[in-house]
Amino acid sequence: MTDPTTHSQPAVDPALVARVKGILVQPNAEWLRIDGEFATTKTLFTRYAMILAAIGPIAGLIGSLIFGEASIIGALVVALVSYGLSLAAVFVLGILINALAPSFGSTVDQVQAMKVAVYASTAAWVAAVFDLIPVLSVLSLIGAIYSLVLLFIGLPMLMKTPEDKKVVYYVVVLIAGLVLYAIIGAAIRAVTLSVAASTVGLAGMGAGY
């Protein structure tokens, strides 16, 4: 018999679910809560970013195996590389946000900057579930666009940016972020093409025997 005093742990952390729901549905109120919370870069990544950032790579992995012609090893390599690079991109974005802060009269605070980078990425991470079905993967762009909206709301709030410098600060961070993600995207595409070429090569060698 099951001990009635023992409570099973939920499959997903309720706090994480509440944060995702809050930042997506009521971003202004959620950013205010985030602003006053204690956090460290480690907890932001281990308790949030590393979990949500896995949605896209896992969905892409499953989708490529079901609908594509990728080998299991090839698809796994692409998933792991994209996962690692996506986390690295968020980390670098947080560093950039903090480094640019003094130029726009904002508070220099690395943890606050990481909060902005991590939580603003929520919509893009969640929408990456559409990568499960390749023909629907274009819908993940909706999440990416909404993440830009979240960044616009949260950046000045957490970094304490003066009213007259909010837009300029956002635009500069946006440009830096777009360049960063373009580089990351190019790296992921390069790995994908390399894996695909290797798969074709191995298939050709197998056919020769």
Side-chain angles (χ1 to χ4, degrees):
M1 296 180 62
T2 303
D3 185 351
T5 62
T6 302
H7 299 282
S8 60
Q9 293 294 321
V12 181
D13 184 0
L16 184 146
V17 175
R19 173 51 43 85
V20 170
K21 180 180 178 181
I23 199 71
L24 295 180
V25 179
Q26 296 180 313
N28 287 285
E30 198 64 24
W31 276 123
L32 282 174
R33 280 188 283 271
I34 291 169
D35 184 30
E37 289 178 352
F38 171 79
T40 65
T41 297
K42 179 180 178 179
T43 59
L44 287 170
F45 276 81
T46 58
R47 298 180 184 178
Y48 196 84
M50 292 178 69
I51 298 171
L52 293 185
I55 293 175
I58 291 175
L61 172 63
I62 296 173
S64 64
L65 292 176
I66 295 177
F67 301 100
E69 298 179 354
S71 65
I72 295 177
I73 298 300
L76 184 59
V77 169
V78 172
L80 289 175
V81 170
S82 62
Y83 177 62
L85 289 178
S86 67
L87 288 173
V90 172
F91 181 77
V92 173
L93 180 61
I95 293 176
L96 289 173
I97 289 173
N98 193 53
L100 290 168
S103 299
F104 301 96
S106 302
T107 302
V108 176
D109 189 321
Q110 188 62 71
V111 173
Q112 290 293 88
M114 283 297 172
K115 285 181 181 180
V116 175
V118 168
Y119 291 123
S121 301
T122 301
W125 284 332
V126 172
V129 72
F130 289 114
D131 291 343
L132 184 63
I133 303 176
V135 295
L136 297 180
S137 61
V138 67
L139 295 177
S140 62
L141 289 175
I142 297 174
I145 293 171
Y146 191 46
S147 277
L148 298 182
V149 175
L150 295 179
L151 177 65
F152 181 77
I153 297 172
L155 179 66
M157 193 180 299
L158 270 65
M159 302 308 291
K160 306 297 182 289
T161 307
E163 191 68 33
D164 61 332
K165 296 183 178 180
K166 286 182 179 180
V167 175
V168 180
Y169 187 21
Y170 171 75
V171 171
V172 173
V173 170
L174 176 61
I175 293 173
L178 290 176
V179 171
L180 174 62
Y181 281 99
I183 295 172
I184 296 297
I188 293 174
R189 284 192 296 275
V191 171
T192 302
L193 291 174
S194 177
V195 169
S198 298
T199 301
V200 171
L202 290 173
M205 290 176 63
Y209 287 100

